[in-house]
Amino acid sequence: MVMQTAVLHGIRDVRLESRAIPVPAAHEVLVKIARVGVCGSDVHYYTDMHIGQYVVNAPMILGHESAGVVAAVGSSVKHLQVGDRVSLEPGVCCRTCYHCKRGRYNLCPNIVFMATPPVDGAFAEYVAWAEDFVFKIPDHVSLEAAALLEPLSVAVWAVQRSGIGMGASIAIFGGGAIGCTVVQAAKAAGATTIIVVDLEPFRLEFAKEFGATHTINAREGNVLEQIRAITTPLNGLTGSSAGVDAAFETAGALITCRQTIEAVHSGGVAVLVGLPPDPMVSLDIVAAASREVDIRGQFRYANCYPAALALLSSGKVNLDKMITKRYALSEAGAALEFADTQKKQSLKVMIEV
Amino acid sequence: MVMQTAVLHGIRDVRLESRAIPVPAAHEVLVKIARVGVCGSDVHYYTDMHIGQYVVNAPMILGHESAGVVAAVGSSVKHLQVGDRVSLEPGVCCRTCYHCKRGRYNLCPNIVFMATPPVDGAFAEYVAWAEDFVFKIPDHVSLEAAALLEPLSVAVWAVQRSGIGMGASIAIFGGGAIGCTVVQAAKAAGATTIIVVDLEPFRLEFAKEFGATHTINAREGNVLEQIRAITTPLNGLTGSSAGVDAAFETAGALITCRQTIEAVHSGGVAVLVGLPPDPMVSLDIVAAASREVDIRGQFRYANCYPAALALLSSGKVNLDKMITKRYALSEAGAALEFADTQKKQSLKVMIEV
Amino acid sequence: MVMQTAVLHGIRDVRLESRAIPVPAAHEVLVKIARVGVCGSDVHYYTDMHIGQYVVNAPMILGHESAGVVAAVGSSVKHLQVGDRVSLEPGVCCRTCYHCKRGRYNLCPNIVFMATPPVDGAFAEYVAWAEDFVFKIPDHVSLEAAALLEPLSVAVWAVQRSGIGMGASIAIFGGGAIGCTVVQAAKAAGATTIIVVDLEPFRLEFAKEFGATHTINAREGNVLEQIRAITTPLNGLTGSSAGVDAAFETAGALITCRQTIEAVHSGGVAVLVGLPPDPMVSLDIVAAASREVDIRGQFRYANCYPAALALLSSGKVNLDKMITKRYALSEAGAALEFADTQKKQSLKVMIEV
Amino acid sequence: MVMQTAVLHGIRDVRLESRAIPVPAAHEVLVKIARVGVCGSDVHYYTDMHIGQYVVNAPMILGHESAGVVAAVGSSVKHLQVGDRVSLEPGVCCRTCYHCKRGRYNLCPNIVFMATPPVDGAFAEYVAWAEDFVFKIPDHVSLEAAALLEPLSVAVWAVQRSGIGMGASIAIFGGGAIGCTVVQAAKAAGATTIIVVDLEPFRLEFAKEFGATHTINAREGNVLEQIRAITTPLNGLTGSSAGVDAAFETAGALITCRQTIEAVHSGGVAVLVGLPPDPMVSLDIVAAASREVDIRGQFRYANCYPAALALLSSGKVNLDKMITKRYALSEAGAALEFADTQKKQSLKVMIEV
């Protein structure tokens, strides 16, 4: 029994290939994939064959934002059955190390994560996956939105790491797919002032639709002054010094990394969701430290799919609206090409399998 | 210069009296009161002249849910000016004790709290109050809603104490004024399953309007079984044992106190916002403890007005809709009588000064 | 290949029996047991054949505080080898449920826990156990102390749940084996005022040796007044109202359960490590709630063995000193009988296998 | 009534001057100063007349680590009386701003802090200070140690910010006065592996006396490799990847700032107590963020004097041993000169008033 897959062989070289349909182990289910989102990391592997220390040394199937229908179940599977519509959390951890035991399994050094070399991803007709990382979705949730629980989980983790809650003021640097899911997750968590900063009007417009209360085009005026002007009247006498309670870097640039830290008031939190392209970053760490602005990075997420699914099912977030364009699995190369070259006009590209 | 006030002299004995208009101290503002909500504690003093250890030994002005307009400012006031529309946080703490220093000033043993004997409340034309416990409100917020920031702050604190966030499931026992503000605060904080339990269809209807996703009439069927049935499908394989993440007691009864603890899954949180009428309560503490269900009480709130105001200003909560009936200050006795006798038909009674 | 075991057949009926030596699975190690502590729960099963909902319906091997030497390793074991001296964490969780995923595996409904029916314990010559719940100990740590990492883990969890740290004041109700390990763990965590309350001078004497700064014989004077007198001068102006930061119930009585809550100052924490004999407990929940004293129960522990081992290895705690008497495995019945009847003269009975 | 003071007039220019003895306000006490420690910031003002944004524009009295005896009390003082031996917390906050209300008063923008321009410090015979920032010390605590509650409070806050507890492994970069108090505070909080890194054998020797379990001379071998070698065997199977749970920068250098972040395992915490001399620091923020190593700065401390005093009174820390040399108030200039030039041979210089 074979299935079709889209395999990355080299820079901008994705080929359709037949592979054997996997057989689910005892605790696994076999999922017939229906939709897979194209993530920035997929594009990065497509254009560079590596991301930092992760190098694609052998042909690899891309894609890790996936949803589909259960086609078969392993012998010990208890909670899922054939026909269930499901979303797949793409990382399966070792369950025994220091981090897994403490519930922070995203830091597991032994994690098997889709489309991170050398593990194959979901640009394929079938995937066999551990039952407890497969989530049944309600009937009213689309498979397309279900695939996007993955980037929403990134946003949920970012918001959880920030510690914000009811009445919070936040700034988000970057209004792309991650920025827009952070807008929605933060709004769902109680943020009432949500400032999004980007260079592209297209993205700022989307950010507003998703719940941004203020948008700033970074080309126009001083970004930090504008953030402080927005937050000062909010704070007043019993307020803090100007600045937001938390800021999120999702743009992956040096300048926004710095601004994320500066936009936060004393005692606030800067969350680095995106990462600057160069490892060595020159920051005014003295100013950050002496204002007790905590700097928290992020590596994927842990235990966020249930919350992300609850937000989606309840209508608190809208993921369908994020999809800019759709491609068939056989057009995977074109999908990646579009996602790479049309960044300014595109939030999320979706593969229909 | 004199003003009119409504003074409690004895059980069900409220009299209109003239008092000298207070003069604001250096850090105080004088507020011309516009609206004051009637709280359950006001009603309790009206009918019993005491609440637990707090006894009304001398004539006392009731009311602590107030809003108005700044009429004069003390010599050191910096952040407010005459004409500002404001909401008053009714407790001014000592600022120097263990609890004040640590930001939990609601536990300050020296706190001066409106309408808690022997401190006079806001059923009066004017109140002089410490600048940092007076919050300026935006133009689009009504003074009536602003007065109700007080019960909303109770709800904000309850939700903060519960630790819930995005995607949480909760149960609220009691759908009165506090229950309905907890519904709204919890929804704003990310709860996606909000179950309200009450005996009165009137209240359950309101709870639904405010955001309850499920309502249970405690007269119909087994309450806990219904809660477990609602939460089980939510949890699934990676879910917890049945039960909500957090439950809130707002009804002030023995049975609901017990149910609050039982409704929570292992490792969850039971928040006691209301209190049973008798101090000694018979609880299955063994079951609670061996499931690590944390039991957290509540005494008022600390640092919740800013968040409550942000929720109100942003439209995340609706406080105007809670008002059942309005009375003039001169009708304060009638207002208290109505609030006492029409509990089943009433959420919140408002005094117009 | 057979081994000797001590099997509980009925009330006060423990028999020596031969059983097949278990064969370790791929991720398991086979441990030749050297020492097993006798826990209060072992004694309870010995005298009653049940603890609450847990009933011994078939012959069961008791004992869950064990240490020994690795005798064989499964095919996938990586971190242990034959000859390693080890301590066994007695509960192996399912690794896939809501609680396991979140690092709170003590609440796992599928946990396999030694000597909790129907799972056999460690009163045996050999036990096969999952590698990641087996901890290698340094040469200078005795196997006897290593067996007692189990009750120490209970204490570590209790102290972690209390949230105390440097400079804390605490009260511990009950100076038995658990009380004395809580003394040591709390001292290691920074507590500087450690008050132990018990009825037996023998235990109070031990508590002092382990680090109690004050002891109170509950037969002499008013316990709460004494605690308040000790803590008042500590607190002073910037201190709290009298009372300790956290209190621990380890005696399992109704009166101490109440006192634990009352001994804590406003905003403090009461940890219920022990449990009263009857499920329905009459508590002044109104007083607790209105002082925001959090009540936290405890069910075993999660991720505490590494910390407990670090405390033991560093010399911060002394577990050897807790052993009152030693018995051979063949004398298991006598050991349980002694532990049951000589509670007032005994902290910990040890089985030498 | 005049008193003697030591006033900084310019670079390396400290002059003895007479000033009027201050009169305590209603809530203040007048303290006859007995001992004042010389802090690195005092030395910095002495040699540069500024620290970052803080510039000495007018003659200023240095010194903020002080203790003495109450000589007079204001009219409203309740908790102190003439003759009490006391330690002075050197910052008095505004009590009304966002940060003060939330218990994090070290971030108060209106704080009045001794020897931070333009506020005079404690190199004087008398200081009048707010009652609630003055702590009575027990008879057995020396005034010299009481003065050093200030640097100990810095260490207590650093350890609290790190979140470490029982069984933690830590690394401290810099073995000076702050490094050595962090050693002691961390040990008191339960750390069992305490690695100190410095260039000076004198300091490493002291660090060992205060509780360091390992010392590394940064001139000898690769620091990070040594830290990983120490921590790897501790962690084992259920351990984390190599690295400490938390690391503390106290040396104020670029290289140690980087090492602090690198020394921590995934999910750990880097606390920046010291600060590098230049504001813009080049860090591998990508590596830190993708390992979720939190970076937390520090600005003084909040609510740490009570805990610091408890540690000191209980004998958990030893501050007397830190004093290298003593000078009279009239020799303040010589004391500052010594502290500046003999850093490698000196931990703490003390002024006897």
Side-chain angles (χ1 to χ4, degrees):
Chain A
M1 296 286 288
V2 297
M3 63 176 183
Q4 204 181 37
T5 65
V7 184
L8 177 70
H9 279 262
I11 290 180
R12 297 184 190 275
D13 177 8
V14 169
R15 306 177 196 167
L16 288 186
E17 292 183 2
S18 287
R19 295 266 179 104
I21 295 177
V23 177
H27 285 286
E28 288 185 340
V29 295
L30 183 71
V31 179
K32 180 151 188 13
I33 300 297
R35 293 289 186 282
V36 196
V38 175
C39 174
S41 70
D42 294 317
V43 176
H44 211 291
Y45 284 123
Y46 174 72
T47 59
D48 291 43
M49 289 295 278
H50 73 93
I51 297 178
Q53 63 188 94
Y54 301 104
V55 181
V56 182
N57 289 315
M60 181 179 82
I61 301 174
L62 290 174
H64 63 267
E65 303 175 355
S66 65
V69 179
V70 174
V73 300
S75 57
S76 303
V77 167
K78 286 183 192 155
H79 297 272
L80 292 170
Q81 48 191 40
V82 172
D84 282 347
R85 301 165 72 245
V86 295
S87 179
L88 285 74
E89 181 173 342
V92 176
C93 62
C94 83
R95 307 172 191 280
T96 64
C97 75
Y98 174 94
H99 298 295
C100 286
K101 285 277 188 71
R102 280 157 182 79
R104 208 162 164 182
Y105 59 74
N106 57 321
L107 302 178
C108 169
N110 312 309
I111 199 165
V112 171
F113 200 94
M114 286 186 191
T116 295
V119 180
D120 279 328
F123 284 2
E125 287 181 291
Y126 292 93
V127 167
W129 210 240
E131 175 189 24
D132 56 323
F133 287 95
V134 175
F135 296 82
K136 189 175 174 180
I137 61 171
D139 292 344
H140 72 281
V141 166
S142 75
L143 284 167
E144 225 157 55
L148 298 183
L149 287 179
E150 208 280 338
L152 181 57
S153 291
V154 172
V156 166
W157 188 243
V159 170
Q160 287 179 349
R161 298 254 306 144
S162 76
I164 62 159
M166 292 170 283
S169 60
I170 65 165
I172 300 167
F173 290 86
I178 292 297
C180 282
T181 50
V182 173
V183 167
Q184 296 193 70
K187 186 184 172 191
T192 47
T193 299
I194 301 176
I195 306 166
V196 175
V197 183
D198 204 304
L199 295 164
E200 301 302 327
F202 167 84
R203 290 181 165 176
L204 294 175
E205 211 46 58
F206 257 102
K208 271 216 154 137
E209 275 192 49
F210 287 125
T213 57
H214 303 75
T215 55
I216 297 174
N217 189 319
R219 297 189 207 280
E220 300 162 9
N222 182 301
V223 170
L224 291 173
E225 276 175 18
Q226 291 176 73
I227 290 174
R228 285 176 190 143
I230 293 165
T231 51
T232 301
L234 290 174
N235 294 333
L237 169 64
T238 54
S240 64
S241 47
V244 290
D245 296 332
F248 301 82
E249 207 296 311
T250 75
L254 172 55
I255 176 77
T256 49
C257 190
R258 285 180 187 157
Q259 289 173 325
T260 299
I261 296 169
E262 292 167 341
V264 173
H265 64 62
S266 297
V269 177
V271 181
L272 304 180
V273 189
L275 287 173
D278 299 308
M280 293 306 285
V281 172
S282 180
L283 296 175
D284 188 350
I285 205 78
V286 173
S290 62
R291 297 195 305 127
E292 292 196 356
V293 170
D294 287 358
I295 303 173
R296 301 182 189 163
Q298 169 163 11
F299 188 67
R300 297 166 182 161
Y301 43 79
N303 295 305
C304 291
Y305 261 66
L309 178 52
L311 294 184
L312 177 60
S313 303
S314 68
K316 289 217 174 199
V317 304
N318 185 330
L319 299 175
D320 294 290
K321 201 192 287 183
M322 294 180 62
I323 299 162
T324 305
K325 200 158 180 186
R326 292 170 182 79
Y327 289 87
L329 177 57
S330 58
E331 306 167 307
L336 288 156
E337 198 65 30
F338 179 87
D340 178 42
T341 56
Q342 305 298 315
K343 270 180 200 154
K344 295 184 183 174
Q345 318 296 336
S346 157
L347 270 189
K348 179 58 69 180
V349 174
M350 182 65 62
I351 304 280
E352 301 178 333
V353 183
Chain B
M1 295 284 288
V2 297
M3 63 176 183
Q4 204 180 39
T5 66
V7 184
L8 178 70
H9 278 262
I11 290 181
R12 298 184 191 274
D13 176 8
V14 169
R15 306 178 196 167
L16 288 187
E17 293 184 0
S18 287
R19 295 266 180 104
I21 295 178
V23 177
H27 285 286
E28 289 185 338
V29 295
L30 182 71
V31 179
K32 178 150 192 12
I33 299 297
R35 292 288 186 284
V36 196
V38 175
C39 174
S41 69
D42 294 316
V43 175
H44 211 292
Y45 285 123
Y46 174 72
T47 58
D48 291 43
M49 289 294 278
H50 72 94
I51 297 177
Q53 63 188 96
Y54 301 104
V55 181
V56 182
N57 289 315
M60 181 179 81
I61 300 174
L62 291 175
H64 63 268
E65 304 175 354
S66 65
V69 179
V70 174
V73 299
S75 58
S76 303
V77 167
K78 285 183 194 156
H79 297 272
L80 292 170
Q81 48 192 42
V82 172
D84 283 347
R85 300 165 73 246
V86 294
S87 179
L88 285 74
E89 181 173 342
V92 175
C93 62
C94 84
R95 308 172 192 280
T96 63
C97 74
Y98 175 93
H99 298 296
C100 286
K101 285 276 188 73
R102 279 158 184 78
R104 209 163 164 180
Y105 60 74
N106 57 320
L107 302 178
C108 168
N110 312 309
I111 200 165
V112 170
F113 200 92
M114 286 186 192
T116 295
V119 181
D120 278 327
F123 282 3
E125 288 181 289
Y126 291 92
V127 167
W129 210 239
E131 176 190 25
D132 57 323
F133 287 96
V134 175
F135 295 83
K136 188 176 173 181
I137 62 170
D139 292 345
H140 72 281
V141 167
S142 74
L143 285 167
E144 224 157 56
L148 299 183
L149 287 178
E150 208 280 339
L152 181 57
S153 291
V154 171
V156 166
W157 188 244
V159 170
Q160 287 180 349
R161 297 251 311 143
S162 76
I164 63 158
M166 292 169 283
S169 61
I170 65 164
I172 299 167
F173 291 86
I178 291 297
C180 281
T181 51
V182 173
V183 168
Q184 295 193 69
K187 186 184 173 192
T192 47
T193 299
I194 301 175
I195 306 166
V196 175
V197 183
D198 203 306
L199 295 163
E200 302 302 329
F202 166 84
R203 291 181 166 176
L204 293 174
E205 212 47 58
F206 257 103
K208 270 215 155 138
E209 274 192 50
F210 287 125
T213 57
H214 303 74
T215 55
I216 296 174
N217 188 319
R219 298 189 205 279
E220 300 163 9
N222 182 300
V223 171
L224 291 172
E225 276 174 18
Q226 291 176 74
I227 290 175
R228 284 175 190 145
I230 293 165
T231 51
T232 301
L234 292 173
N235 295 334
L237 169 64
T238 54
S240 63
S241 47
V244 290
D245 296 331
F248 301 82
E249 207 295 311
T250 75
L254 172 55
I255 176 78
T256 50
C257 189
R258 285 180 186 157
Q259 288 174 326
T260 297
I261 296 169
E262 292 168 342
V264 173
H265 64 61
S266 297
V269 177
V271 181
L272 304 181
V273 189
L275 288 173
D278 298 309
M280 294 305 285
V281 172
S282 179
L283 296 174
D284 187 350
I285 205 78
V286 173
S290 62
R291 297 194 305 126
E292 292 195 356
V293 171
D294 288 356
I295 303 172
R296 301 182 189 161
Q298 169 164 10
F299 187 67
R300 298 166 181 162
Y301 43 79
N303 295 305
C304 291
Y305 261 66
L309 178 53
L311 294 183
L312 177 61
S313 303
S314 69
K316 289 216 172 200
V317 304
N318 185 331
L319 298 176
D320 293 290
K321 201 192 287 183
M322 293 180 63
I323 300 163
T324 304
K325 200 158 180 186
R326 292 169 181 81
Y327 288 87
L329 178 57
S330 58
E331 305 167 307
L336 289 156
E337 198 67 29
F338 179 87
D340 178 42
T341 56
Q342 304 297 316
K343 270 179 200 154
K344 295 184 183 174
Q345 319 295 337
S346 157
L347 270 188
K348 179 58 68 181
V349 173
M350 182 64 62
I351 304 280
E352 302 179 331
V353 183
Chain C
M1 296 283 289
V2 298
M3 63 175 184
Q4 205 180 37
T5 66
V7 184
L8 178 68
H9 278 261
I11 289 180
R12 297 184 190 275
D13 176 10
V14 169
R15 306 176 196 169
L16 287 186
E17 292 184 2
S18 286
R19 295 266 180 104
I21 295 176
V23 177
H27 286 285
E28 288 185 340
V29 294
L30 182 72
V31 179
K32 182 156 188 8
I33 299 296
R35 292 288 187 283
V36 197
V38 175
C39 174
S41 69
D42 295 316
V43 175
H44 210 292
Y45 285 123
Y46 174 72
T47 58
D48 291 43
M49 288 296 277
H50 72 94
I51 298 178
Q53 63 187 94
Y54 302 104
V55 180
V56 182
N57 290 314
M60 182 180 80
I61 300 175
L62 291 174
H64 63 267
E65 304 176 353
S66 65
V69 179
V70 174
V73 299
S75 57
S76 303
V77 167
K78 286 183 192 155
H79 297 271
L80 292 170
Q81 48 192 41
V82 172
D84 283 347
R85 299 165 73 244
V86 295
S87 179
L88 286 74
E89 181 174 342
V92 175
C93 61
C94 83
R95 307 173 192 280
T96 64
C97 74
Y98 175 94
H99 298 296
C100 286
K101 285 276 187 72
R102 279 157 184 79
R104 209 160 162 183
Y105 58 74
N106 57 319
L107 302 178
C108 169
N110 312 308
I111 201 165
V112 171
F113 200 94
M114 287 186 192
T116 295
V119 181
D120 278 328
F123 283 2
E125 287 181 291
Y126 291 92
V127 167
W129 211 240
E131 176 189 24
D132 56 323
F133 287 96
V134 176
F135 296 82
K136 189 175 173 181
I137 61 170
D139 293 345
H140 72 280
V141 167
S142 75
L143 285 167
E144 225 157 54
L148 298 183
L149 287 179
E150 208 280 337
L152 181 57
S153 291
V154 172
V156 166
W157 189 242
V159 170
Q160 288 179 349
R161 297 253 309 144
S162 76
I164 63 157
M166 292 170 283
S169 61
I170 66 165
I172 300 167
F173 290 86
I178 292 296
C180 281
T181 52
V182 173
V183 167
Q184 296 192 71
K187 185 184 173 191
T192 47
T193 300
I194 301 175
I195 306 166
V196 175
V197 182
D198 204 304
L199 295 164
E200 301 302 327
F202 166 84
R203 291 180 164 179
L204 294 174
E205 210 46 58
F206 257 102
K208 271 216 155 136
E209 275 192 49
F210 287 125
T213 57
H214 303 75
T215 56
I216 296 175
N217 189 319
R219 297 189 206 280
E220 299 163 8
N222 182 300
V223 170
L224 291 172
E225 276 174 19
Q226 291 176 75
I227 290 175
R228 285 175 190 146
I230 292 165
T231 51
T232 302
L234 291 173
N235 295 334
L237 169 64
T238 54
S240 63
S241 47
V244 289
D245 296 331
F248 301 82
E249 206 297 312
T250 75
L254 172 56
I255 176 77
T256 50
C257 190
R258 287 181 186 157
Q259 289 173 326
T260 298
I261 296 169
E262 293 167 340
V264 173
H265 64 63
S266 297
V269 177
V271 181
L272 305 181
V273 189
L275 288 173
D278 299 308
M280 294 306 285
V281 171
S282 180
L283 296 175
D284 188 350
I285 205 77
V286 174
S290 62
R291 297 195 304 126
E292 293 196 355
V293 170
D294 287 358
I295 303 172
R296 301 183 188 160
Q298 169 164 11
F299 187 66
R300 297 166 182 162
Y301 42 79
N303 295 305
C304 292
Y305 261 67
L309 178 52
L311 294 183
L312 176 61
S313 303
S314 68
K316 287 216 173 199
V317 303
N318 185 330
L319 299 176
D320 294 290
K321 202 193 285 183
M322 293 180 63
I323 300 162
T324 305
K325 199 157 181 188
R326 292 169 182 80
Y327 288 87
L329 178 58
S330 58
E331 306 166 309
L336 288 156
E337 199 65 32
F338 178 88
D340 177 43
T341 55
Q342 305 297 315
K343 271 179 200 154
K344 295 183 183 175
Q345 319 295 336
S346 158
L347 270 188
K348 180 57 68 179
V349 173
M350 182 63 63
I351 303 281
E352 301 179 332
V353 183
Chain D
M1 295 282 289
V2 297
M3 65 177 181
Q4 204 179 38
T5 66
V7 184
L8 178 69
H9 278 261
I11 290 180
R12 297 185 190 275
D13 177 8
V14 168
R15 306 178 195 166
L16 288 187
E17 292 184 1
S18 287
R19 295 265 179 105
I21 294 178
V23 176
H27 286 286
E28 288 185 338
V29 294
L30 182 72
V31 179
K32 179 151 191 12
I33 299 297
R35 293 287 187 282
V36 196
V38 175
C39 174
S41 69
D42 295 315
V43 175
H44 210 293
Y45 285 123
Y46 174 72
T47 59
D48 292 42
M49 288 295 279
H50 74 93
I51 297 178
Q53 62 187 95
Y54 300 105
V55 180
V56 182
N57 289 316
M60 182 179 81
I61 301 174
L62 291 174
H64 63 267
E65 304 175 355
S66 65
V69 179
V70 175
V73 299
S75 58
S76 304
V77 167
K78 287 183 193 155
H79 298 271
L80 292 170
Q81 49 193 38
V82 173
D84 282 348
R85 299 165 73 246
V86 294
S87 179
L88 286 73
E89 182 173 343
V92 175
C93 62
C94 84
R95 308 173 191 280
T96 64
C97 75
Y98 175 94
H99 298 296
C100 286
K101 284 277 187 72
R102 279 157 183 79
R104 209 163 163 180
Y105 59 74
N106 56 320
L107 302 177
C108 169
N110 313 309
I111 200 164
V112 171
F113 200 94
M114 287 186 193
T116 294
V119 181
D120 279 327
F123 284 1
E125 287 180 289
Y126 291 93
V127 168
W129 210 239
E131 176 189 25
D132 56 323
F133 287 95
V134 175
F135 295 82
K136 189 176 175 181
I137 60 170
D139 292 344
H140 72 281
V141 166
S142 75
L143 285 168
E144 223 157 56
L148 298 182
L149 287 179
E150 208 280 338
L152 181 57
S153 291
V154 171
V156 166
W157 188 243
V159 170
Q160 287 179 350
R161 297 252 310 144
S162 77
I164 63 159
M166 291 170 284
S169 60
I170 66 165
I172 299 167
F173 291 85
I178 292 296
C180 281
T181 50
V182 173
V183 167
Q184 296 193 70
K187 186 183 173 192
T192 47
T193 300
I194 301 175
I195 307 166
V196 175
V197 182
D198 203 307
L199 295 163
E200 301 303 326
F202 166 84
R203 290 179 165 179
L204 294 174
E205 211 46 58
F206 258 102
K208 270 215 154 135
E209 275 192 49
F210 287 125
T213 57
H214 302 75
T215 56
I216 296 174
N217 188 318
R219 298 189 206 279
E220 299 163 8
N222 182 301
V223 170
L224 291 171
E225 276 174 17
Q226 291 175 74
I227 290 174
R228 285 176 189 143
I230 293 165
T231 51
T232 302
L234 291 173
N235 295 334
L237 169 64
T238 54
S240 64
S241 47
V244 289
D245 296 332
F248 301 82
E249 206 296 311
T250 74
L254 172 55
I255 177 78
T256 50
C257 189
R258 285 181 186 157
Q259 289 174 325
T260 299
I261 297 169
E262 293 168 342
V264 173
H265 64 62
S266 298
V269 178
V271 181
L272 305 182
V273 189
L275 288 173
D278 299 308
M280 294 306 285
V281 171
S282 180
L283 296 175
D284 188 349
I285 204 79
V286 174
S290 63
R291 297 195 304 126
E292 292 195 355
V293 170
D294 288 356
I295 303 173
R296 301 183 189 161
Q298 170 164 10
F299 188 67
R300 297 168 181 159
Y301 43 78
N303 294 306
C304 291
Y305 261 67
L309 178 53
L311 294 184
L312 177 61
S313 304
S314 68
K316 288 217 172 199
V317 303
N318 185 330
L319 299 176
D320 294 290
K321 202 194 285 183
M322 293 180 64
I323 299 162
T324 304
K325 200 158 179 185
R326 293 170 181 79
Y327 288 87
L329 177 57
S330 57
E331 306 167 308
L336 288 156
E337 198 66 30
F338 178 88
D340 178 43
T341 56
Q342 305 298 313
K343 271 180 198 153
K344 296 183 182 175
Q345 318 295 337
S346 157
L347 271 188
K348 180 57 69 180
V349 173
M350 183 63 64
I351 303 281
E352 301 179 331
V353 184

